[in-house]
């Protein structure tokens, strides 16, 4: 007997599970769903332009107009500052929705750990850059899940004492012939 068989018989070894990764991913997904839902509710409603025209936003808009880069952008594009802000919020919301969709796809495809890890890493980078630290728990959790998916490998199946594959475990390899 080898050590793996002894540990299996004594039920010391537990089956490999991605439960921790799934829990962390879905905590981040729920937070991201709530934030993205609220953001899209505000961004795609017709009240966004009216909200930016309120008196509370006037000092912010005046500060933006003082910036030479923003002023030249407004002159070259021919739009006013409120229309530009509405457009930016809508683009920001669409990027958040794309990042959320990537994270949800990654959550459902955790069996393919490398693909899922890459998707979580992309989501973490997009959310981290996009929110500049506001959604720190979300992108931190996505990053942790991505690292865990890259680092934690499932144990190799060493059920046989002589470490040979049975006929059911052997992959069929076709012979390649070159012309």
């Amino acid at each position: 007997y080898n050590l793996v068989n002894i540990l299996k018989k004594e039920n010391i070894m537990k089956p490999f599970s991605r439960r921790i990764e799934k829990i962390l991913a879905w905590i981040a997904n729920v937070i991201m769903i709530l934030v993205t839902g609220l953001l899209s509710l505000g961004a795609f409603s017709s009240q966004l332009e009216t909200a930016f025209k309120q008196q509370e936003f006037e000092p912010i808009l005046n500060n933006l107009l003082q910036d030479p880069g923003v002023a030249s952008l407004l002159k070259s594009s021919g739009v006013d500052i409120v229309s530009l802000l509405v457009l930016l919020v809508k683009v920001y919301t669409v990027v958040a929705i794309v990042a959320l969709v990537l994270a949800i796809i990654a959550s459902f495809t955790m069996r393919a750990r490398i693909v899922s890890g890459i998707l979580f890493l992309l989501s973490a980078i997009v959310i981290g850059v996009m929110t500049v630290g506001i959604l720190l728990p979300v992108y931190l959790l996505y990053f942790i899940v991505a690292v865990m998916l890259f680092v934690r490998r499932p144990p190799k199946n060493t059920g046989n004492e002589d470490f040979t594959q049975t006929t059911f475990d052997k992959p069929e390899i076709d012979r390649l012939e070159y012309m």
Side-chain angles (χ1 to χ4, degrees):
Y1 285 101
N2 61 14
L3 182 62
V4 174
N5 288 335
I6 293 170
L7 292 175
K8 281 184 181 179
K9 285 184 179 179
E10 292 179 15
N11 203 11
I12 295 174
M13 281 184 60
K14 294 181 182 176
F16 186 75
S17 169
R18 296 249 180 235
R19 183 176 292 150
I20 296 169
E21 289 95 330
K22 289 178 183 177
I23 290 171
L24 292 177
W26 280 105
I27 288 171
N29 285 345
V30 167
I31 294 170
M32 193 64 189
I33 287 170
L34 292 174
V35 169
T36 306
L38 290 174
L39 188 62
S40 61
L41 183 66
F44 297 117
S45 70
S46 60
Q47 303 298 322
L48 185 62
E49 191 168 342
T50 335
F52 279 134
K53 291 182 179 178
Q54 296 296 321
Q55 288 182 348
E56 292 83 17
F57 284 106
E58 280 184 24
I60 298 170
L61 297 177
N62 287 333
N63 286 339
L64 283 174
L65 288 173
Q66 299 301 324
D67 185 13
V70 174
S72 66
L73 176 69
L74 291 175
K75 286 179 186 175
S76 65
S77 65
V79 295
D80 61 335
I81 188 76
V82 174
S83 300
L84 181 67
L85 285 176
V86 168
L87 179 68
L88 288 176
V89 169
K90 287 182 180 182
V91 168
Y92 186 83
T93 305
V94 169
V95 171
I97 290 170
V98 168
L100 176 64
V101 168
L102 284 177
I104 289 176
I105 290 171
S107 297
F108 285 121
T109 61
M110 275 198 199
R111 287 191 181 211
R113 67 180 184 89
I114 300 297
V115 173
S116 185
I118 291 171
L119 291 176
F120 275 123
L121 198 59
L122 282 173
S123 296
I125 291 170
V126 167
I127 293 169
V129 168
M130 185 178 74
T131 62
V132 193
I134 295 173
L135 290 176
L136 177 73
V138 173
Y139 68 82
L140 192 62
L141 286 173
Y142 284 155
F143 184 73
I144 290 170
V145 170
V147 168
M148 288 176 73
L149 285 170
F150 289 135
V151 173
R152 289 183 63 214
R153 293 184 182 145
K156 302 218 189 255
N157 187 9
T158 57
N160 297 333
E161 288 82 24
D162 59 347
F163 294 81
T164 59
Q165 292 179 333
T166 62
T167 55
F168 297 111
D169 295 333
K170 286 185 182 176
E172 288 189 27
I173 300 174
D174 293 333
R175 185 174 167 199
L176 297 176
E177 292 185 20
Y178 297 101
M179 291 186 188

